Amino acid sequence: MTSDLSMENLLNHCNRLWIFGYGSLCWKPGFQYSSRKLGFIRGYSRRFWQGNATHRGTPNNPGRVATLVKDEMNSVWGVAYELVGHAQIEQALKHCSHRELELGGYIVKIQPFQIKNSTNVIPVLVYMATPANQHYLGPASIDALAEQVTNSEGPSGHNIEYVCRLADWARHECPEENDQHLLQLDEKIRQICQERKICMRTAMGPDPTPLSQYHRKKCHQAERLRASLIMASLKQSHYRKHKTLHIEQNYEISSKTISTNAK
């Protein structure tokens, strides 16, 4: 992959590109892609240290969104989206550049991405925020983060949705990660919502397509498994019935033979 990460250069030199999502891109990418891979990048931790005043908050009441911080002993799990061809690459880069670079204050880097259950490593584009950008809020306790999240909302929805859908996604698709910062924040947010009678269903909004597809896939898998178990049970029942009938017939034949010989 080229070292010049400007959109113009990427469009001119790349026919295939991978973008790594570790926040809302995991469950709501917002662009078309050819394939997706689960996996992780090394040397970082996910933290909700970036402020957001355009999507999950307002200038007067910014929300909290995820960024990556250097952590040599840790890894961050997420999704790598494969973009193939000029049209897909252009659409995705325009979407991410506007949302992450222009509005969010993020920068873009190339990082090696380890595909789950594979030895393959691929280079991916990663958007991350640094303390140098104007929206950076920095560290805070889980309690303080949860308070800010539960009180923030923007044009894209409630800040609660951003954090809790990411936590749901992580539990379902990447249980290996065990991101305690994310999971503890999610737990605290849900606790606050319960105590203050905040409706989680309203805050979360309608199910996004990627997560719904995931649940539908799991339901279909469960239905297929149940159907196969039923078929196996029926076959076993038929086998037992046939075997019992065969034994009974043999018994009748043997009984008649013994009776005839006795005479």
Side-chain angles (χ1 to χ4, degrees), residues 3-261:
S3 59
D4 181 355
L5 302 183
S6 66
M7 184 188 300
E8 181 181 0
N9 191 64
L10 289 172
L11 287 173
N12 288 336
H13 293 89
C14 297
N15 190 49
R16 175 177 276 100
L17 194 65
W18 293 83
I19 291 180
F20 177 65
Y22 58 90
S24 60
L25 287 183
C26 291
W27 52 271
K28 190 179 181 181
F31 52 79
Q32 297 295 317
Y33 54 89
S34 294
S35 68
R36 64 194 291 273
K37 301 288 186 183
L38 295 177
F40 57 88
I41 61 172
R42 303 181 191 274
Y44 291 93
S45 287
R46 182 192 290 111
R47 292 291 182 267
F48 290 86
W49 292 357
Q50 174 71 355
N52 186 275
T54 55
H55 290 89
R56 299 292 173 172
T58 64
N60 294 328
N61 189 31
R64 287 270 185 166
V65 293
T67 186
L68 300 179
V69 297
K70 277 287 188 180
D71 184 352
E72 296 300 330
M73 302 301 293
N74 204 14
S75 299
V76 175
W77 285 73
V79 183
Y81 295 100
E82 182 187 25
L83 312 171
V84 179
H86 184 90
Q88 273 193 359
I89 293 174
E90 182 178 33
Q91 191 247 348
L93 288 180
K94 283 184 176 179
H95 174 79
C96 291
S97 294
H98 177 68
R99 188 172 82 168
E100 312 294 351
L101 303 181
E102 297 171 17
L103 298 179
Y106 286 63
I107 62 171
V108 62
K109 291 185 176 182
I110 298 175
Q111 293 292 323
F113 174 84
Q114 176 70 59
I115 298 174
K116 181 179 179 179
N117 297 329
S118 172
T119 58
N120 293 338
V121 176
I122 55 176
V124 294
L125 288 184
V126 184
Y127 294 88
M128 62 183 75
T130 69
N133 82 82
Q134 61 177 330
H135 303 296
Y136 196 80
L137 298 177
S141 68
I142 292 296
D143 288 350
L145 290 174
E147 282 289 343
Q148 187 169 355
V149 169
T150 53
N151 288 296
S152 299
E153 186 174 4
S156 294
H158 207 291
N159 205 182
I160 290 173
E161 180 191 26
Y162 179 96
V163 178
C164 294
R165 286 210 186 280
L166 180 57
D168 286 343
W169 174 89
R171 290 190 191 95
H172 286 300
E173 296 215 32
C174 298
E176 305 93 332
E177 182 178 28
N178 191 28
D179 182 345
Q180 286 301 304
H181 180 76
L182 170 61
L183 298 179
Q184 288 175 14
L185 179 56
D186 172 70
E187 183 180 358
K188 186 62 180 179
I189 290 169
R190 293 177 189 274
Q191 179 186 333
I192 291 174
C193 289
Q194 184 176 13
E195 291 172 352
R196 299 178 187 175
K197 301 188 185 307
I198 298 172
C199 179
M200 283 291 294
R201 182 174 296 180
T202 301
M204 296 284 274
D207 285 344
T209 301
L211 201 59
S212 298
Q213 287 177 345
Y214 171 79
H215 287 306
R216 283 197 295 271
K217 179 181 177 182
K218 288 298 181 184
C219 289
H220 291 160
Q221 288 175 346
E223 288 173 1
R224 287 197 297 269
L225 177 60
R226 185 173 62 178
S228 64
L229 290 174
I230 291 173
M231 288 299 297
S233 177
L234 290 173
K235 288 180 179 179
Q236 186 69 13
S237 176
H238 177 75
Y239 170 76
R240 287 174 179 171
K241 183 178 180 180
H242 178 75
K243 186 175 182 181
T244 301
L245 180 62
H246 182 69
I247 292 172
E248 289 175 350
Q249 289 174 342
N250 287 341
Y251 175 77
E252 289 178 1
I253 293 172
S254 298
S255 297
K256 289 179 180 179
T257 302
I258 293 171
S259 176
T260 302
N261 291 337

